[in-house]
């Protein structure tokens, strides 16, 4: 079946460090891929998405590239800030089912 | 309203009691989803509505769980005879049409605690 695997946290970084959060997926067909973010005390919100192979989603300095050959959608940011501290969820949407399947989430803590 | 609204925000109940959780989606959104977020478990899909119909309810954990949607708008998730393992945050989300590559808008959730 369809599933998402993302690296376990917590990930602790100093401000201005480079961030990578790994995400791989298993899916039939060609899913759309997403990163959602949950800031402390807030609801989940879409960070970025990519709908086909080789697409790059980007927002707020974060990027992720849809890699079909490695079934991956790793999240990267060149220089993190304290305000990026949150839980990040990788997700896929299989085109037939219309539902999002989420990974378990990765807690990012950025220290000043 | 401007966003997805859920009520109550917190619910404490005794084991064996029934609970009802409410979701008010963004006006005009035809698709509505219920998820459950447990500590260390990520988000678990429960059920998906398209209008008032539920074409996918494969995530409902047992027959104690049911959901309905009326008027293509408000949805209610009902848990009968609650158990301690039902304790979690229940999230509702809506999207404009329910196509697979669409952005979901999430509510703030209902924190359910079963004592």
């Amino acid at each position: 079946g369809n599933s998402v695997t993302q690296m376990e946290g917590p990930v602790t970084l100093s401000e201005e460090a480079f961030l990578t959060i790994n995400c791989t997926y298993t899916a039939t067909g060609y899913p759309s891929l997403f990163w959602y973010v949950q800031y402390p005390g807030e609801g989940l919100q879409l960070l970025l998405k990519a709908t086909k192979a080789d697409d790059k989603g980007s927002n707020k300095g974060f990027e992720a590239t849809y890699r079909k050959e490695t079934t991956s959608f790793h999240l990267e940011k060149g220089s993190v800030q304290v305000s990026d501290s949150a839980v990040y969820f990788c997700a896929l949407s299989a085109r037939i089912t219309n539902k999002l399947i989420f990974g378990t989430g990765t807690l990012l803590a950025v220290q000043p | 309203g401007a966003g997805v609204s859920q009520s109550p925000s917190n619910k404490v109940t005794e084991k064996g009691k029934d609970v009802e959780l409410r979701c008010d989606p963004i006006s005009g959104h035809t698709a509505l989803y219920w998820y459950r977020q447990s500590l260390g478990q990520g988000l678990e899909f429960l059920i998906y509505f398209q209008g008032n119909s539920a074409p996918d309810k494969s995530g409902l954990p047992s027959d104690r769980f049911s959901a309905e949607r009326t008027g293509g708008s408000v949805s209610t998730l009902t848990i009968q005879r609650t158990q301690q393992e039902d304790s979690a945050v229940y999230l509702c989300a809506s999207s404009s049409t329910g196509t697979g590559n669409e952005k979901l808008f999430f509510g703030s959730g209902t924190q359910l605690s079963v004592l």
Side-chain angles (χ1 to χ4, degrees):
Chain A
N2 299 326
S3 66
V4 174
T5 302
Q6 61 182 106
M7 64 189 286
E8 291 196 18
V11 174
T12 304
L13 295 173
S14 298
E15 210 164 19
E16 299 182 4
F18 184 86
L19 168 71
T20 301
I21 301 178
N22 289 338
C23 171
T24 57
Y25 68 89
T26 301
T28 52
Y30 304 95
S32 293
L33 301 174
F34 304 81
W35 279 99
Y36 277 78
V37 59
Q38 188 172 34
Y39 296 104
E42 297 184 19
L44 270 136
Q45 54 188 278
L46 178 67
L47 179 60
L48 54 84
K49 71 175 186 181
T51 58
K52 61 182 188 297
D54 300 326
D55 266 4
K56 178 186 286 187
S58 60
N59 186 24
K60 299 182 181 181
F62 290 89
E63 293 184 339
T65 301
Y66 189 139
R67 301 282 189 204
K68 187 168 179 297
E69 62 276 13
T70 54
T71 61
S72 65
F73 193 55
H74 304 321
L75 183 68
E76 297 182 336
K77 186 173 185 182
S79 175
V80 293
Q81 305 299 312
V82 172
S83 57
D84 294 327
S85 298
V87 181
Y88 292 82
F89 292 90
C90 186
L92 71 80
S93 177
R95 300 190 190 279
I96 297 174
T97 63
N98 290 333
K99 69 189 182 194
L100 277 181
I101 296 169
F102 286 88
T104 52
T106 302
L107 173 64
L108 170 65
V110 180
Q111 299 175 337
Chain B
V4 178
S5 178
Q6 291 188 246
S7 60
S9 54
N10 281 284
K11 176 72 177 179
V12 180
T13 190
E14 292 179 351
K15 178 181 169 181
K17 294 284 178 68
D18 298 351
V19 296
E20 282 191 355
L21 312 180
R22 176 187 169 106
C23 173
D24 209 333
I26 292 173
S27 178
H29 279 192
T30 62
L32 186 148
Y33 306 78
W34 283 98
Y35 285 85
R36 178 165 72 172
Q37 185 176 18
S38 306
L39 219 55
Q41 299 295 316
L43 276 82
E44 175 188 11
F45 168 80
L46 298 179
I47 187 169
Y48 155 64
F49 286 92
Q50 182 61 256
N52 293 335
S53 304
D56 189 347
K57 42 183 137 179
S58 61
L60 294 177
S62 73
D63 58 9
R64 296 187 295 105
F65 288 72
S66 62
E68 64 174 11
R69 189 179 184 195
T70 55
S73 180
V74 172
S75 176
T76 303
L77 177 68
T78 300
I79 309 173
Q80 295 179 309
R81 305 181 302 282
T82 52
Q83 303 294 312
Q84 288 182 331
E85 61 262 28
D86 299 335
S87 296
V89 177
Y90 289 82
L91 294 171
C92 177
S94 70
S95 68
S96 180
T97 64
T99 56
N101 59 4
E102 235 180 13
K103 174 181 178 179
L104 263 60
F105 294 82
F106 281 84
S108 298
T110 294
Q111 171 78 62
L112 175 66
S113 300
V114 182
L115 304 179

